[in-house]
Amino acid sequence: MDDELIKRLRKLIQHYAYTSIQMHEAVARKAGLSGTDHKYLGFLIERGQMTAGELATLTGLTTGAVTGLIDRLEKKNLVKRQFAQDDRRKVIIEPDTPAIMALLAPLYKEFRSKSENLIASFAEEELKILEAYFLAAIELMNETTNKLTNN
Amino acid sequence: MDDELIKRLRKLIQHYAYTSIQMHEAVARKAGLSGTDHKYLGFLIERGQMTAGELATLTGLTTGAVTGLIDRLEKKNLVKRQFAQDDRRKVIIEPDTPAIMALLAPLYKEFRSKSENLIASFAEEELKILEAYFLAAIELMNETTNKLTNN
DNA sequence: ACTAAATATCTTATTTACTAAGATAGTATA
DNA sequence: TATACTATCTTAGTAAATAAGATATTTAGT
């Protein structure tokens, strides 16, 4: 197997991550959010509603910092606090997906459609290969994250 | 073309970005860096030496914040300040790549080798497809970033 | 060469968002 | 029905950001 190709691809993938971070940063700024607020809002959309404690674990922030984070997002009407009916100590953070989309979608709109065009430009067999790569890479990154946070 | 497959892949790629951010965050914490310091250190490695002003533009931070960022990284011996010989107002930030690697490489070591194994598990023709995707996606993200920051 | 304007970084005062510790309120257990 | 536990919030202090302006250097016009 071509070792050069493997090295080149690893570097390219690293560069891809860097470029992605930059783009998300630019979107955040345009949306009037701090980089971290945008990032954590992304977590909320990705995972759906969760408790303040879960968000603290997920983000690595203290519960106090999460209180502030929710306050800021709530003030912008991007999330709502709700007490859990099964345990009234718990605060469920419910992302207001339509509001979040209304804020972010225009910024991602063109990117999204061009992304879909890019994806659609590949043959079905090729997409299966991409899918296989992404699935495996996600699993690998999750493993890495878990090892780092738990040891 | 299978529309479902395209949608699924777009979501998967989005999830990939999210997972990547989480991993980098975990690495930063383990390295004793703040998330943003780690991110910007990544920018420095990626781009190589640059002036304080360029870093300010790149990060979107004010020049004052960049002064603080460089101070912190310099104190940890991860970068060095140097005056440019052609223009002595300019401060060139030179990443001390060996020192940065000594700090981060152990944390990425296993991930990196497993990544290379993953890449190597694909056939050469398949890697060409991955490469084509990543190249196009990087260009697309760069375009998006430029439009957002310049309009 | 001299002056004014422009540029690059740093400094200072203020604000924002974080942590750590502890308070509050609700739940589970003995 | 106490007691311990859990989930979130509050408070005080700290770290890192911004905004405005200072300092030092370069560029351009005369």
Side-chain angles (χ1 to χ4, degrees):
Chain A
M1 164 66 65
D2 185 350
D3 246 38
E4 278 314 301
L5 179 56
I6 293 173
K7 283 225 160 87
R8 195 169 77 221
L9 209 58
R10 201 191 49 69
K11 282 218 161 184
L12 185 64
I13 291 169
Q14 194 174 322
H15 185 69
Y16 174 86
Y18 157 83
T19 312
S20 166
I21 289 171
Q22 270 200 302
M23 182 182 71
H24 285 279
E25 192 104 336
V27 169
R29 217 166 296 149
K30 204 76 177 178
L33 293 167
S34 78
T36 63
D37 284 8
H38 179 234
K39 180 169 65 190
Y40 298 145
L41 196 57
F43 286 16
L44 275 164
I45 294 173
E46 173 81 20
R47 295 277 192 110
Q49 64 168 217
M50 65 181 83
T51 66
E54 284 165 353
L55 187 57
T57 308
L58 186 63
T59 59
L61 297 178
T62 59
T63 60
V66 166
T67 298
L69 170 64
I70 302 168
D71 286 347
R72 291 191 300 278
L73 295 178
E74 201 175 35
K75 198 174 293 176
K76 294 199 159 111
N77 293 311
L78 299 174
V79 307
K80 260 197 326 234
R81 275 185 171 92
Q82 253 177 255
F83 287 99
Q85 65 279 61
D86 66 315
D87 181 343
R88 299 207 351 258
R89 290 167 306 176
K90 285 186 185 166
V91 167
I92 294 177
I93 311 157
E94 179 143 30
D96 184 341
T97 311
I100 297 168
M101 287 309 158
L103 175 67
L104 298 179
L107 301 171
Y108 278 117
K109 190 173 187 255
E110 196 179 337
F111 172 73
R112 183 163 167 167
S113 80
K114 284 191 178 166
S115 281
E116 286 187 355
N117 288 347
L118 171 59
I119 295 169
S121 76
F122 287 87
E124 190 148 341
E125 281 317 297
E126 297 175 334
L127 290 184
K128 290 276 160 75
I129 292 160
L130 289 175
E131 187 175 32
Y133 168 78
F134 282 113
L135 282 170
I138 285 170
E139 179 160 350
L140 178 51
M141 290 192 287
N142 277 332
E143 268 175 36
T144 305
T145 304
N146 289 337
K147 274 187 196 156
L148 286 170
T149 45
N150 303 326
N151 302 323
Chain B
M1 163 66 66
D2 185 351
D3 246 38
E4 277 314 300
L5 180 56
I6 291 172
K7 283 227 160 88
R8 196 168 77 221
L9 209 58
R10 203 191 47 72
K11 282 218 160 185
L12 185 64
I13 291 170
Q14 195 173 322
H15 185 70
Y16 174 85
Y18 157 84
T19 312
S20 166
I21 289 170
Q22 270 199 304
M23 182 180 73
H24 285 279
E25 190 104 337
V27 169
R29 219 166 292 151
K30 203 76 176 180
L33 295 167
S34 79
T36 62
D37 283 8
H38 178 234
K39 180 168 63 188
Y40 299 145
L41 196 57
F43 286 15
L44 276 164
I45 294 173
E46 174 78 20
R47 294 276 193 110
Q49 63 169 219
M50 65 181 82
T51 67
E54 284 165 352
L55 187 57
T57 308
L58 187 63
T59 58
L61 296 178
T62 59
T63 60
V66 165
T67 298
L69 170 63
I70 303 168
D71 286 346
R72 291 192 299 279
L73 295 177
E74 200 175 38
K75 199 176 293 177
K76 293 198 161 111
N77 294 309
L78 298 173
V79 307
K80 260 197 327 234
R81 272 185 173 93
Q82 255 178 255
F83 287 98
Q85 66 281 55
D86 66 314
D87 181 343
R88 298 211 347 263
R89 291 167 305 177
K90 287 187 184 166
V91 167
I92 294 176
I93 311 157
E94 178 143 30
D96 183 342
T97 310
I100 296 168
M101 287 308 159
L103 175 67
L104 298 180
L107 301 171
Y108 279 117
K109 191 173 188 257
E110 197 179 338
F111 171 73
R112 182 164 168 165
S113 80
K114 283 190 179 168
S115 282
E116 286 187 354
N117 287 345
L118 170 59
I119 295 169
S121 76
F122 287 88
E124 191 148 340
E125 282 316 298
E126 296 175 333
L127 289 184
K128 291 276 160 77
I129 292 160
L130 289 175
E131 188 175 31
Y133 169 78
F134 282 113
L135 282 170
I138 285 170
E139 179 161 351
L140 178 51
M141 290 192 288
N142 276 332
E143 268 175 35
T144 305
T145 304
N146 289 337
K147 275 187 197 157
L148 286 170
T149 45
N150 302 327
N151 301 324

